[in-house]
């Protein structure tokens, strides 16, 4: 037989199906967001791992160097002098085919056996690998890639790479399964890849598979390497690349947890509502011999049911929307970090379990207080609400004190700690602390309003006085709304400040009128260079007053790469780079000595300060460069090392130029200058030209795209909060039906009653919006000065924007209005008699 | 009858033999097999060679040292170094180091990485004392110095396996894992032309022939290293050189090749092309060269080889590891026995090649020797 308490419990849940359903929906949304973010993060990570794995094959180590890569002879030496059999040469580059980017992997099919099965001669038909070996430009694509880009086997197609056109021929198809996660991969022979790169006799890396005698072999390999080359474990290289995006994915997870927390508010609210409403019932049950434990278990079981339903729904929904989210995450990763083709979003057991645990355990935890409350109901139950409200009212100052302590803790944590995790802890403390203080503040404000209205009309008195009446529930609802709204405000302020800072930075940094780079070029690679003759012609154009010259390359330094930006800027009287540390002396050192400037994130990630030294591997051996100063740069969250072009050329044998900034003579029209630049490059190199204005616009567009996903999460969070407020305010009004009926009986018209109810809820909503302003501002400070600084190393000024604050107030009011309308309408429709008999 | 049937096991097997991995087990008619390089080539490039390749049509006079180097106009070529080496205390080692050159298409294509030539090589050491046999295989394009061959100074190499030198002083070096052979070779005798002034016919079809010479008796001194132990050795090395474009005829399924250093100072080479019934083909032949420089060419009717005992290889195929060679015209009979049975190279086309000892008599006089035996085309389906 089902225990009596359980049956009573089930009846309780079903008594207000809408209330229960909304609670489940709210938590389900939270779980959905969390699960979807988790799946998307994992999907991106898996796609990345898969592609790294497939590309590295079974390699245990890579020999890397930079930026020019390795001479063929290094590889020949490993095989011929060292007798290493499991070594494979690799030339990697990217090319453009229409709007698609093809990732070209140049290999020796005869050396691939130990590494990438799909590229080994044995996996290919003899006719195919013979063509690969013999024909310049012969490539293999996966069937899916070939179909998408619309190339048939046997067909020739033209691609662009660093301003030059090349003809490739699709001679065969890659094994679809073995190249999973490698969409847009084009496999070609090493000879073809070298000529595509325009770097004969250079390899981008050498893959090794070392097993026995690893230490000895490593030592022997090292002895053969040129000074700028290093040998790194494949796993370390993959990890170093993947970690680039670590802070980004952690931020997403944190935001998704916020949605869950707000969902849990909702559960608490519903359970509390259910318990309060059934106090009488619990009293009766206890009187007929049901034990306290049974009551406790029954209430917890309810929470368990709600949580399980919510978790199940949330997991299903999260799984369903994860694909969309993954596309967003993937695009950001592609914009900012590394090229990854995000494949399928698949629900992993880990995501599923996490979602389940969050939903169920969270739900149980948030029902604990209501359950204890139910357990404590004495058999001779006090039927009236008042004593409880009074008791709840008694807890409020304590809660507020705890909240204040948490807020203080958040402040201390933010200031004294250094880690990103501690930053998130401070963030959590701020939100929870605020939430705890909200009910007391609401009650206090309600009481104050009540006092103010004492001499006003009766309707006023009832309206304002009633606000703090149901504080045990309204407090929680308002707290949930405050958390959601302040998160919205905080994030919006952070993003807004960030955007202003980026705009300022673009303004001051981008000074040239036209930026010139090779068409179809890819950043950071050595082959992306302008034709020297084209550079000379552009510099000599009559319309051109001056040019800035930049070389951007990635220097392999062990497992990681150092983005190196070598520049020669024209003397325009004013520097376009803003120094954060180092001062005038830094510029003198930069201009004349073996010194570099590092961008703020680079200094942050590598713990560098002005005056430190930076060791870089160069073809002349490892060299130390003085860090003369730190400059502001929002272009890369990894950071950049900036060097005088002449100094770069002293150490690296690379005369290449990645881009030109063209300064026009005053009065020269942009269109004419652009046309003449194109004209001088005609027939020599295809150029990508960007006017100053366009470059700024594109840069900001990338910035906005980066925060698109943040915006989506923010709105999902608000939706959960809206559900919370709608259910709790709705329930409150429902419960007050007897009181409301009395007011009607005392002569209040239905319209007046409805207005009163709506006014009460709107006031609560506005109050939440108001509270969200300071909390949101505090939150944005944490996000800007703690989270952003610790995750990415960027500093920026806080900009107080009015719109997010107004938004919070408006949302608060609107949401509350929405929440008030239904109960207002219902109460107004009810006859006083029905209300008085109710319950 | 056993036929040469490739197994779908090795990538190069699949690649060179024209199989895609999915097509294993359906290879159609097994093509004829002679030396391993031959079979690889034929299956990779099809029975009919591109007419752009040069062919061995007429006898020729070899030109040394140039002819020690490669002949890229021909489709394939090999350098076979084999020998029995003796360490102090009577321990003997056999070794084989063979380089194959294969042209993927006719013509000159020699860029830094791109080339129409591919090299592959086998390296094997027999250690009858320890009962161990080690075999390795390598394949490479010439690339920027990975593999290649040259006449003067002489060189043929693939990665760290090489034979190099000039004049008559060559150095042979090969190692893999914990095994290494390092020999100084003294090439003091004139090479011996096989067949008709170097033209070795395989069938009646003109062009189905190779240019074939041997340097049968090269004094070798050096060491064999197995693990941490270095064994100083000396002995005689046999070099077999052959280049060609033609294919075997369809009625030849394999061959047995004997190369013996005999203790009267002579060298006996016999190759026996087998037909599908295991019978010697009409174009089987041999060369008996003597210490005084005299050379006798042997025809199919001049010798008879009888298998005495067989050994079953791990792949199930059976190789005769003991033979009776009878040369009635020379009144000679030799019993040829493997120094150890498992000298089977588990490479892309598996074959047996190993050190042998010969005992017998010629014209009533005892005659003994040692050398190498190669057997191909025994693989079971």
């Amino acid at each position: 037989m089902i225990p009596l308490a359980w049956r009573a419990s089930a009846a309780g849940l079903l008594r207000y199906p809408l209330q229960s359903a909304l609670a489940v929906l709210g938590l389900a949304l939270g779980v959905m967001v969390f699960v979807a973010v988790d799946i998307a993060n994992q999907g991106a990570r898996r796609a990345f791992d898969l592609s790294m794995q497939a590309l590295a094959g079974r390699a245990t180590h890579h020999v890397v160097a930079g930026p020019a890569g390795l001479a063929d002879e290094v590889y020949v030496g490993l095989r011929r002098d060292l007798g290493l059999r499991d070594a494979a040469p690799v030339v990697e580059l990217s090319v453009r085919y229409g709007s698609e980017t093809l990732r070209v992997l140049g290999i020796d099919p005869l050396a691939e056996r130990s590494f990438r099965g799909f590229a080994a001669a044995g996996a290919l038909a003899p006719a195919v690998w013979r063509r690969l070996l013999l024909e310049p430009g012969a490539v293999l694509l996966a069937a899916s890639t070939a179909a998408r880009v619309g190339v048939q086997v046997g067909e020739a197609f033209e691609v662009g790479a660093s301003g030059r056109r090349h003809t490739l021929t699709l001679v065969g198809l890659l094994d679809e399964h073995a190249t999973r996660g490698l969409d847009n991969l084009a496999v070609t022979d090493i000879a073809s890849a070298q000529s595509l790169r325009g770097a004969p006799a250079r390899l981008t890396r050498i893959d090794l598979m070392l097993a026995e005698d690893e230490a000895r072999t490593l030592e022997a390999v090292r002895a053969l390497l040129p000074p700028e080359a290093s040998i790194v474990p494949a796993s370390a290289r993959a990890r170093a690349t993947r970690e680039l995006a670590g802070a980004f994915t952690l931020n997403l997870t944190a935001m998704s947890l916020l949605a869950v927390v707000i969902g849990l508010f909702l559960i608490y609210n519903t359970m509390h509502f259910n318990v309060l409403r059934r106090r009488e019932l619990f009293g009766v049950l206890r009187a007929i011999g049901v034990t306290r434990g049974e009551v406790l278990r029954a209430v917890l079981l309810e929470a368990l049911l709600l949580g399980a339903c919510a978790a199940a729904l949330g997991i299903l929904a999260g799984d369903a929307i994860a694909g969309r989210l993954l596309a967003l995450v993937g695009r950001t990763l592609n914009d900012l970090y590394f090229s990854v083709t995000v494949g399928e979003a698949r629900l992993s057991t880990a995501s599923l379990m996490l979602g389940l645990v969050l939903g169920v355990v969270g739900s149980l935890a948030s029902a604990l207080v209501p359950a204890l409350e139910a357990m404590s109901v004495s058999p001779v139950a006090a039927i009236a609400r008042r004593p409880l409200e009074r008791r709840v009212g008694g807890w409020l100052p304590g809660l507020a004190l705890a909240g204040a302590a948490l807020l203080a803790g958040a402040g201390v944590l933010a200031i004294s700690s250094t880690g990103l995790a501690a930053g998130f802890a401070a963030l959590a403390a701020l939100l929870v602390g605020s939430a705890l203080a909200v009910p007391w503040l609401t009650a206090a404000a309600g009481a104050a309003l009540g006092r103010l209205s004492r001499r006003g009309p009766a309707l006023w008195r009832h309206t304002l006085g009633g606000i703090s009446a149901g504080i045990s529930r309204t407090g929680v609802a308002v707290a949930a709304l405050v958390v959601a709204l302040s998160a919205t405000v905080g994030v919006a302020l952070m993003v807004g400040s960030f955007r202003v800072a980026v705009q300022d930075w673009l303004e001051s940094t981008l000074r040239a009128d036209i930026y010139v780079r090779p068409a179809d070029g890819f950043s950071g690679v050595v082959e992306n260079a302008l034709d020297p003759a084209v550079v000379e012609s552009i510099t000599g154009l009559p319309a051109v007053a001056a040019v800035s010259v930049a070389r951007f390359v990635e220097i392999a330094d062990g497992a990681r790469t150092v983005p190196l930006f070598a520049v020669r800027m024209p003397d325009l009287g004013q520097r376009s780079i803003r120094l954060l540390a180092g001062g005038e002396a830094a510029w003198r050192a930069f201009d004349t000595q073996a010194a570099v400037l590092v961008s703020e994130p680079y200094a942050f990630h590598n713990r560098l300060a002005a005056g430190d030294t930076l060791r870089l591997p160069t073809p002349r051996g490892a060299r130390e460069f003085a860090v003369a100063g730190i400059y502001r740069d929002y272009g890369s969250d990894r950071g950049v090392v900036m060097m005088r072009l002449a100094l770069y050329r002293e150490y690296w044998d690379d005369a290449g130029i990645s881009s030109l900034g063209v300064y026009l003579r005053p009065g020269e029209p942009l269109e004419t200058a652009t046309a003449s630049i194109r004209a001088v490059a005609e027939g020599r190199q295809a150029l990508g030209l960007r006017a100053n204005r366009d470059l700024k616009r594109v840069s900001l567009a990338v910035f906005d795209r980066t925060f698109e996903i943040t915006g989506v999460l923010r709105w999902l969070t608000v939706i959960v909060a809206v559900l919370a407020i709608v259910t709790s305010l709705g329930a409150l009004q429902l419960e007050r039906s007897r009181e409301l009926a009395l007011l009607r009986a005392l002569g209040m018209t239905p319209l007046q009653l409805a207005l009163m109810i709506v006014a009460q809820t709107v006031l609560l909503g506005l109050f939440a919006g108001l509270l969200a302003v300071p909390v949101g501002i505090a939150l944005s400070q944490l996000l800007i000065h703690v989270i952003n600084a610790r995750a990415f190393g960027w500093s920026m000024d806080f900009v107080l924007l009015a719109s997010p604050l107004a938004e919070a107030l408006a949302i608060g009011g609107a949401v509350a209005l929405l929440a008030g309308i239904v109960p207002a309408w219902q109460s107004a429709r009810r006859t006083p008699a029905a209300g008085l008999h109710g319950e | 009858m056993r036929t040469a049937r490739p197994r779908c096991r090795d990538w190069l097997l699949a690649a060179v033999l024209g199989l895609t991995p999915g097509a294993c087990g359906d290879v159609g008619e097994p093509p004829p097999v002679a030396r391993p390089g031959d079979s690889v080539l034929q299956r990779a490039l099809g029975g009919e060679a591109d007419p752009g390749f040069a062919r061995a049509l007429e006898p020729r006079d070899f030109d040394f040292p140039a002819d020690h180097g490669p002949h890229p106009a021909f489709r394939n070529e090999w350098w076979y170094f084999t020998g029995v080496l003796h360490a102090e205390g009577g321990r003997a080692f056999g070794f084989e180091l063979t380089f194959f050159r294969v042209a993927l298409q006719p013509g000159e294509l020699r860029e830094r990485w791109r080339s129409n030539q591919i090299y592959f090589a086998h390296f094997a050491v027999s250690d009858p004392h320890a009962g161990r046999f080690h075999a390795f295989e390598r394949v490479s394009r010439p690339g920027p110095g990975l593999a290649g061959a040259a006449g003067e100074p002489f060189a043929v190499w693939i990665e760290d396996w090489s034979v190099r030198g000039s004049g008559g002083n060559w150095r042979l070096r090969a190692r893999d894992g914990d095994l290494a052979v390092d020999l100084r070779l003294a090439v003091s005798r004139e090479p011996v032309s096989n067949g008709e002034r170097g033209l070795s016919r395989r069938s009646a079809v003109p062009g189905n022939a190779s240019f074939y010479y041997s340097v049968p008796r090269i004094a070798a001194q050096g060491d064999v290293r197995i693990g941490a132990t270095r064994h100083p050795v000396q002995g005689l090395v046999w070099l077999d050189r052959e280049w060609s474009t033609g294919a075997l005829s369809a009625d030849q399924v394999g061959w047995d090749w004997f190369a013996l250093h005999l203790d009267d100072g002579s060298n006996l080479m016999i190759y026996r092309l087998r037909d599908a019934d295991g019978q010697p083909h009409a174009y089987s032949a041999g060369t008996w060269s003597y210490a005084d420089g005299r050379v006798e060419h042997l025809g199919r009717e001049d010798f008879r080889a009888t298998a005495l005992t067989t050994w079953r290889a791990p792949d199930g195929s059976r190789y005769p590891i003991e033979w009776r060679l009878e040369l009635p015209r020379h009144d000679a009979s030799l019993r040829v026995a493997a120094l150890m049975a498992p000298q089977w190279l588990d490479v892309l086309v598996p074959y047996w090649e190993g050190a042998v000892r010969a005992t017998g008599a010629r014209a009533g006089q005892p005659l003994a020797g040692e050398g190498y035996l190669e057997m191909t085309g025994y693989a079971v389906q």
Side-chain angles (χ1 to χ4, degrees):
Chain A
M1 199 188 125
I2 303 165
L4 198 57
W6 289 22
R7 273 191 291 163
S9 191
L13 280 180
L14 293 175
R15 172 80 195 257
Y16 293 93
L18 188 67
Q19 172 86 21
S20 301
L22 283 179
V24 167
L25 185 63
L27 182 59
L29 276 176
V31 172
M32 171 192 85
V33 172
F34 174 81
V35 168
V37 165
D38 200 47
I39 292 175
N41 277 347
Q42 283 191 20
R45 187 188 155 135
R46 193 176 48 244
F48 173 77
D49 285 352
L50 259 178
S51 69
M52 283 300 273
Q53 250 168 39
L55 281 181
R58 288 185 289 275
T60 59
H61 292 76
H62 303 293
V63 178
V64 292
L70 295 148
D72 283 346
E73 281 69 27
V74 177
Y75 170 69
V76 174
L78 292 180
R79 277 198 172 253
R80 197 183 49 198
D81 304 338
L82 228 53
L84 271 189
R85 290 202 65 189
D86 292 321
V90 176
V91 173
E92 265 187 311
L93 73 152
S94 298
V95 299
R96 301 288 293 178
Y97 176 58
S99 61
E100 299 272 352
T101 297
L102 294 180
R103 199 162 170 185
V104 178
L105 180 71
I107 43 84
D108 177 1
L110 297 176
E112 281 297 301
R113 181 188 183 188
S114 310
F115 295 93
R116 287 153 287 259
F118 61 83
L124 309 167
V128 170
W129 68 257
R130 278 174 58 201
R131 287 186 76 180
L132 216 51
L133 249 58
L134 296 171
E135 283 178 36
V139 298
L140 310 174
L141 300 173
S144 55
T145 306
R148 199 182 52 256
V149 302
V151 181
Q152 312 244 321
V153 174
E155 199 181 325
F157 58 108
E158 206 176 70
V159 298
S162 301
R164 287 178 182 80
R165 308 295 297 171
H166 303 268
T167 302
L168 303 182
T169 311
L170 182 61
V171 298
L173 297 175
L174 289 168
D175 177 4
E176 196 76 37
H177 181 74
T179 54
R180 216 155 40 96
L182 287 178
D183 278 10
N184 289 16
L185 176 73
V187 169
T188 189
D189 186 59
I190 194 124
S192 297
Q194 285 189 341
S195 55
L196 281 176
R197 257 190 99 208
R202 304 299 290 187
L203 307 173
T204 45
R205 65 165 203 264
I206 299 170
D207 285 350
L208 302 178
M209 197 169 77
L210 305 178
E212 311 149 45
D213 282 347
E214 191 178 304
R216 223 179 63 200
T217 315
L218 276 177
E219 212 40 61
V221 170
R222 251 184 221 115
L224 268 188
L225 297 183
E228 80 272 30
S230 48
I231 176 165
V232 296
S235 53
R237 186 164 169 268
R239 196 169 52 237
T241 314
R242 199 175 53 210
E243 275 171 5
L244 297 178
F248 169 73
T249 49
L250 183 61
N251 277 346
L252 289 187
T253 305
M255 288 211 60
S256 72
L257 274 173
L258 190 62
V260 176
V261 168
I262 292 172
L264 290 177
F265 269 110
L266 201 52
I267 291 288
Y268 165 80
N269 217 21
T270 305
M271 291 310 298
H272 205 183
F273 172 65
N274 282 340
V275 166
L276 290 181
R277 215 184 46 229
R278 286 176 292 165
R279 283 177 59 77
E280 254 174 282
L281 176 65
F282 291 132
V284 173
L285 285 174
R286 293 277 288 111
I288 60 172
V290 173
T291 68
R292 287 161 161 268
E294 278 172 324
V295 170
L296 179 78
R297 279 196 294 277
V299 174
L300 285 181
L301 184 70
E302 282 178 46
L304 188 78
L305 278 175
L306 289 181
C309 286
L313 280 174
I315 289 167
L316 285 177
D319 190 32
I321 68 157
R324 294 265 178 82
L325 209 60
L326 182 58
L328 276 178
V329 171
R331 205 167 62 187
T332 308
L333 291 177
N334 266 322
D335 278 347
L336 302 180
Y337 301 101
F338 37 71
S339 163
V340 56
T341 314
V342 169
E344 41 173 358
R346 215 173 44 214
L347 179 64
S348 70
T349 321
S351 305
L352 192 142
M353 292 312 293
L354 265 175
L356 210 61
V357 165
L358 267 180
V360 172
V361 175
S363 182
L364 281 177
S366 49
L368 198 59
V369 172
L372 290 172
E373 175 71 39
M375 188 177 84
S376 69
V377 174
S378 63
V380 280
I383 308 299
R385 157 171 298 275
R386 282 293 162 203
L388 175 79
E389 281 303 342
R390 219 169 281 139
R391 259 178 44 215
V392 170
W395 297 344
L396 292 183
L399 281 178
L401 266 179
L406 265 178
L407 288 177
V412 171
L413 202 58
I415 291 163
S416 64
S417 71
T418 53
L420 185 59
F424 278 118
L427 210 65
L430 172 66
L431 284 174
V432 175
S434 309
L436 288 180
V438 163
W440 177 76
L441 285 172
T442 312
L449 281 174
R451 275 195 301 279
L452 278 180
S453 63
R454 222 170 266 157
R455 272 179 225 115
L459 185 59
W460 274 107
R461 276 208 315 277
H462 285 296
T463 305
L464 299 180
I467 287 178
S468 56
I471 197 66
S472 64
R473 235 170 347 277
T474 48
V476 175
V478 173
L481 192 57
V482 167
V483 168
L485 289 179
S486 57
T488 322
V489 170
V491 171
L493 285 176
M494 185 273 287
V495 174
S497 302
F498 203 169
R499 198 173 193 281
V500 168
V502 168
Q503 238 167 341
D504 286 351
W505 168 74
L506 287 172
E507 272 316 313
S508 73
T509 309
L510 299 179
R511 297 273 186 81
D513 297 295
I514 303 169
Y515 287 87
V516 183
R517 58 188 175 82
D520 305 319
F522 292 86
S523 171
V525 293
V526 75
E527 64 265 25
N528 186 30
L530 289 164
D531 183 336
V534 170
V535 171
E536 201 175 313
S537 305
I538 293 174
T539 315
L541 283 173
V544 173
V547 293
S548 65
V549 178
R551 182 67 170 144
F552 184 68
V553 288
E554 302 258 346
I555 309 275
D557 181 14
R560 49 185 216 125
T561 59
V562 180
L564 186 68
F565 191 59
V567 287
R568 186 174 66 221
M569 286 174 281
D571 188 8
L572 299 170
Q574 200 192 354
R575 306 273 191 178
S576 58
I577 308 286
R578 200 186 133 196
L579 284 185
L580 299 169
E584 233 354 87
W587 283 120
R588 278 196 301 279
F590 179 79
D591 288 340
T592 56
Q593 296 162 18
V596 296
L597 299 176
V598 298
S599 77
E600 197 184 10
Y602 193 87
F604 168 77
H605 291 303
N606 298 281
R607 297 193 175 80
L608 288 173
D612 289 350
T613 56
L614 174 66
R615 203 176 157 82
L616 290 176
T618 83
R620 319 246 179 288
R623 288 285 183 279
E624 303 221 314
F625 297 90
V627 176
I630 295 168
Y631 69 100
R632 171 154 287 180
D633 177 278
Y634 295 118
S636 152
D637 70 351
R638 292 165 61 195
V640 179
V641 174
M642 188 161 71
M643 183 180 279
R644 195 169 76 247
L645 188 66
L647 183 63
Y648 169 72
R649 288 181 174 171
E650 238 176 76
Y651 286 99
W652 285 271
D653 309 304
D654 174 20
I657 293 170
S658 308
S659 71
L660 282 183
V662 176
Y663 295 77
L664 298 178
R665 289 186 197 285
E668 290 288 344
L670 195 65
E671 288 71 23
T672 335
T674 308
S676 50
I677 290 174
R678 283 203 194 283
V680 298
E682 186 66 43
R684 292 195 278 198
Q685 191 172 29
L687 297 182
L689 299 187
R690 258 193 188 142
N692 183 306
R693 191 182 56 238
D694 297 334
L695 189 53
K696 281 178 192 157
R697 193 174 35 95
V698 170
S699 304
L700 277 178
V702 170
F703 176 88
D704 290 339
R705 223 156 66 186
T706 307
F707 284 100
E708 229 165 62
I709 183 158
T710 313
V712 170
L713 293 187
R714 203 151 59 95
W715 282 109
L716 285 172
T717 309
V718 170
I719 290 173
V720 179
V722 166
L723 280 178
I725 198 94
V726 167
T727 54
S728 53
L729 291 188
L732 176 63
Q733 301 305 337
L734 218 61
E735 200 180 323
R736 286 172 69 199
S737 51
R738 195 187 302 211
E739 178 197 340
L740 297 176
L742 195 65
L743 287 174
R744 283 273 283 117
L746 292 175
M748 207 179 249
T749 68
L751 183 67
Q752 280 175 329
L753 186 68
L755 278 178
M756 183 195 83
I757 291 170
V758 169
Q760 279 178 346
T761 57
V762 168
L763 273 174
L764 281 172
L766 286 177
F767 187 63
L770 213 58
L771 281 180
V773 169
V775 178
I777 290 176
L779 204 63
S780 71
Q781 299 296 325
L782 271 180
L783 286 172
I784 291 172
H785 300 303
V786 178
I787 301 296
N788 233 331
R790 289 181 191 172
F792 306 110
W794 278 311
S795 70
M796 65 197 75
D797 298 325
F798 170 68
V799 181
L800 185 60
L801 299 161
S803 60
L805 307 183
E807 232 172 65
L809 280 174
I811 294 174
V815 160
L817 183 66
L818 213 72
I821 283 176
V822 174
W825 184 65
Q826 284 177 337
S827 305
R829 267 187 52 205
R830 269 185 149 183
T831 60
L836 285 169
H837 281 119
E839 296 268 343
Chain B
M1 187 59 219
R2 299 171 195 118
T3 51
R5 190 101 176 175
R7 289 174 299 147
C8 287
R9 173 185 51 89
D10 194 290
W11 70 277
L12 193 59
L13 180 70
V16 177
L17 304 195
L19 306 171
T20 51
C24 278
D26 181 23
V27 295
E29 278 304 301
V33 171
R35 295 211 118 158
D38 231 4
S39 63
V40 163
L41 179 81
Q42 280 188 325
R43 296 186 205 200
L45 307 174
E48 284 307 307
D50 189 303
F53 286 115
R55 284 183 177 260
L57 296 168
E58 300 288 330
R60 59 171 285 173
D61 292 316
F62 291 114
D63 172 21
F64 297 107
D67 273 332
H68 287 319
H71 302 81
F74 292 81
R75 199 168 59 167
N76 63 302
E77 180 161 17
W78 50 73
W79 293 255
Y80 254 88
F81 293 88
T82 52
V84 179
L85 304 168
H86 297 275
E88 278 176 38
R91 186 165 174 182
F93 297 98
F95 91 94
E96 175 202 352
L97 181 63
T98 310
F99 299 91
F100 302 92
R101 177 190 62 77
V102 173
L104 296 175
Q105 67 180 25
E108 282 263 327
L109 179 56
R110 184 71 190 93
E111 295 164 13
R112 191 171 175 81
W113 280 97
R114 189 170 290 124
S115 165
N116 59 338
Q117 308 286 336
I118 287 184
Y119 284 82
F120 63 103
H122 295 158
F123 169 44
V125 172
S126 310
D127 183 2
H129 177 79
R132 301 286 300 274
F133 178 74
H134 315 263
F136 309 95
E137 182 171 38
R138 288 199 178 176
V139 58
S140 178
R141 68 211 307 183
L146 288 168
E152 180 60 34
F154 173 70
V156 57
W157 81 95
I158 183 164
E159 296 160 0
D160 61 341
W161 299 354
S162 66
V163 184
R164 296 170 190 274
S166 81
N169 296 315
W170 294 357
R171 180 129 182 227
L172 178 153
R173 274 189 288 196
R175 62 181 164 138
D176 207 309
D178 62 352
L179 208 79
V181 170
D182 185 349
L183 299 174
R184 288 173 199 287
L185 307 180
V187 188
S188 51
R189 287 171 183 253
E190 279 300 300
V192 173
S193 299
N194 296 309
E196 184 190 354
R197 271 203 298 139
L199 183 72
S200 170
R201 294 183 205 276
R202 295 283 172 77
S203 77
V205 181
N208 268 357
S210 64
F211 291 117
Y212 184 6
Y213 70 81
S214 307
V215 190
R217 209 167 261 261
I218 301 173
Q221 189 156 21
D223 49 53
V224 171
R225 187 170 56 76
I226 297 174
T229 319
R230 193 180 292 274
H231 305 274
V233 292
Q234 53 183 3
L236 289 175
V237 168
W238 186 297
L239 166 62
D240 240 26
R241 285 276 289 123
E242 202 167 2
W243 59 93
S244 69
T245 295
L248 294 187
S249 48
D251 57 351
Q252 299 162 339
V253 299
W255 90 339
D256 309 309
W257 174 82
F258 300 81
L260 303 172
H261 299 116
L262 297 170
D263 56 8
D264 63 353
S266 69
N267 315 296
L268 177 61
M269 186 279 283
I270 283 173
Y271 66 82
R272 182 173 174 272
L273 290 160
R274 293 193 315 278
D275 66 16
D277 296 326
Q279 295 306 306
H281 194 270
Y283 282 82
S284 300
T287 305
W288 204 328
S289 59
Y290 298 94
D292 58 8
R294 214 158 32 89
V295 175
E296 275 186 274
H297 295 286
L298 311 176
R300 146 97 174 81
E301 66 290 345
D302 289 333
F303 59 86
R304 194 165 63 236
T306 315
L308 301 177
T309 37
T310 58
W311 170 79
R312 189 171 181 277
D315 69 347
S317 47
R318 292 194 161 274
Y319 290 89
I321 49 159
E322 192 182 358
W323 292 80
R324 181 156 50 249
L325 282 181
E326 286 161 299
L327 296 95
R329 193 156 64 83
H330 297 82
D331 186 21
S333 171
L334 291 167
R335 187 183 146 273
V336 178
L339 290 191
M340 57 188 286
Q343 301 188 76
W344 179 73
L345 283 84
D346 189 17
V347 289
L348 73 97
V349 176
Y351 64 104
W352 195 101
E353 174 136 8
V356 291
R357 181 163 294 135
T359 49
R362 177 176 179 175
Q365 296 295 314
L367 186 64
E370 59 193 17
Y372 254 70
L373 165 63
E374 178 181 88
M375 297 177 284
T376 67
Y378 286 94
V380 291
Q381 278 183 215

